[in-house]
Amino acid sequence: MSWRVVVVSSNAKVDFKMDYVVVRMLEETRRVHISEIGVLMLESTAISITAYALCELLAHKVKVIFCDRQRNPCGELLPSSGSHDSTARIRQQTRWTEAAKAAVWTEIVRAKIARQRDVLRRWERPQAALLTRYLEELQLGDASNREGHAAKVYFNALFGKEFSRALPIPENAALNYGYGIILSALNREIAAAGYLTQLGVFHDNVYNAFNLGCDLMEPLRPLIDNAVMEMRPETFEKEQKYALIRLLHAQVFFDGRQQVLLYALRLYCASVFRALQSGGTDELRLIEYEL
């Protein structure tokens, strides 16, 4: 099972030789067997990587994340076909019923609001009681937009009434970075299973190539939110970024068993696809985590 998150952060050349990803830096050369790598993050624009290495990384379903000049994720590498039966999977995806999507989305929203409530309780915010009420009012497909109402209450309670997700502050930089890491890991699992990341359950922005990943990541956002609260970043530099990347190795619970988050994401995605295919939520399993 691939489990390593490999970050290349300085001037380097990345190549592939005899089943190893080879990273040649100015002062040293490091090698990692490709079977161990789940995510490869290229954090500097001074890194060069060979086409051979990229093709092998795609073949082994390794998620490759590219960063911009500010070292923030700006793109990722996705295979044109992630599964031997991807055509059949895509046909299934286009036939998911509106009823199945509404049922699955309801449970995703329920899990997200419940986890947000857990974060507010963790930080002793009285607004947690209001999120409990929103959970009780949740309707099929979230017809009354309890998710949106909960988000407004949640962020103001957690980060303060003056907080806005549009502000250029370290907290938002950390949130965006953490969300980006989780989204990329989910996109990897979606593509590897043979589905299209563009076709979502609820999200349907024509300019968003990752609508399905955005759907699936919603219950995991509070994990990032809590980490940023613990971090209280006055700046957002390498140390804070690595702390968020390490969350992919966090211990979580899936279907009653302890798992590493990176592997639990695979199991979670598979359960979502089974639920959408079956038309109900009996197959759906969600990731649980302690704060």
Side-chain angles (χ1 to χ4, degrees):
M1 182 190 74
S2 56
W3 55 275
R4 283 192 176 183
V5 179
V6 176
V7 181
V8 184
S9 59
S10 59
N11 191 330
K13 180 179 179 180
V14 180
D15 200 352
F16 184 80
K17 186 175 182 180
M18 298 182 68
D19 293 332
Y20 281 84
V21 173
V22 183
V23 182
R24 294 184 173 88
M25 296 167 282
L26 293 176
E27 297 181 354
E28 63 177 326
T29 297
R30 294 190 179 183
R31 294 174 171 83
V32 183
H33 199 277
I34 196 167
S35 66
E36 298 179 2
I37 305 175
V39 177
L40 173 64
M41 174 172 284
L42 305 179
E43 204 181 35
S44 170
T45 55
I47 297 167
S48 63
I49 183 168
T50 65
Y52 180 32
L54 289 173
C55 288
E56 290 297 327
L57 289 163
L58 280 171
H60 287 80
K61 297 181 173 59
V62 176
K63 170 59 62 180
V64 181
I65 303 172
F66 300 94
C67 295
D68 59 21
R69 287 176 293 178
Q70 285 73 45
R71 297 178 180 268
N72 293 317
C74 64
E76 56 190 67
L77 188 65
L78 285 174
S80 57
S81 177
S83 174
H84 70 282
D85 60 348
S86 59
T87 300
R89 299 295 179 90
I90 293 169
R91 285 175 180 167
Q92 291 175 0
Q93 186 175 7
T94 60
R95 294 170 183 163
W96 289 341
T97 67
E98 293 303 317
K101 290 191 284 187
V104 168
W105 179 243
T106 303
E107 296 311 309
I108 286 175
V109 170
R110 191 188 312 280
K112 178 184 181 180
I113 297 176
R115 298 292 83 74
Q116 288 176 328
R117 180 185 60 183
D118 292 343
V119 173
L120 293 184
R121 287 174 173 171
R122 158 76 174 78
W123 295 98
E124 299 181 348
R125 301 295 199 266
Q127 292 87 346
L130 186 54
L131 266 63
T132 296
R133 195 183 86 190
Y134 288 155
L135 282 170
E136 296 169 351
E137 297 171 348
L138 185 62
Q139 300 174 0
L140 180 65
D142 191 23
S144 58
N145 192 27
R146 294 300 92 182
E147 181 206 11
H149 290 291
K152 183 176 181 180
V153 170
Y154 171 74
F155 279 110
N156 287 339
L158 197 59
F159 294 105
K161 291 185 178 181
E162 302 302 318
F163 176 80
S164 167
R165 286 286 288 124
L167 292 174
I169 54 177
E171 287 89 345
N172 275 324
L175 290 172
N176 292 337
Y177 192 89
Y179 295 158
I181 295 299
I182 298 294
L183 178 60
S184 292
L186 283 167
N187 288 337
R188 171 205 179 197
E189 300 305 333
I190 294 167
Y195 296 97
L196 293 175
T197 60
Q198 293 92 336
L199 300 182
V201 172
F202 174 79
H203 290 82
D204 63 352
N205 189 326
V206 296
Y207 303 107
N208 183 4
F210 307 121
N211 284 310
L212 187 52
C214 289
D215 289 328
L216 270 57
M217 76 171 291
E218 294 296 351
L220 295 159
R221 288 179 183 270
L223 180 65
I224 301 298
D225 304 335
N226 185 69
V228 173
M229 276 294 292
E230 291 179 339
M231 194 181 297
R232 299 292 179 93
E234 296 183 1
T235 61
F236 188 61
E237 304 295 340
K238 182 184 294 186
E239 180 181 349
Q240 290 79 18
K241 291 178 181 179
Y242 285 4
L244 292 171
I245 292 171
R246 285 195 293 270
L247 285 177
L248 291 175
H249 292 155
Q251 294 294 319
V252 298
F253 293 91
F254 184 85
D255 203 13
R257 295 184 177 182
Q258 192 172 45
Q259 306 282 1
V260 173
L261 177 59
L262 195 59
Y263 183 60
L265 293 176
R266 180 177 305 175
L267 302 175
Y268 164 56
C269 288
S271 81
V272 172
F273 301 146
R274 289 195 302 270
L276 288 165
Q277 189 62 24
S278 69
T281 57
D282 290 344
E283 300 269 10
L284 181 62
R285 301 291 184 273
L286 295 158
I287 296 172
E288 303 286 339
Y289 46 87
E290 296 179 356
L291 301 172

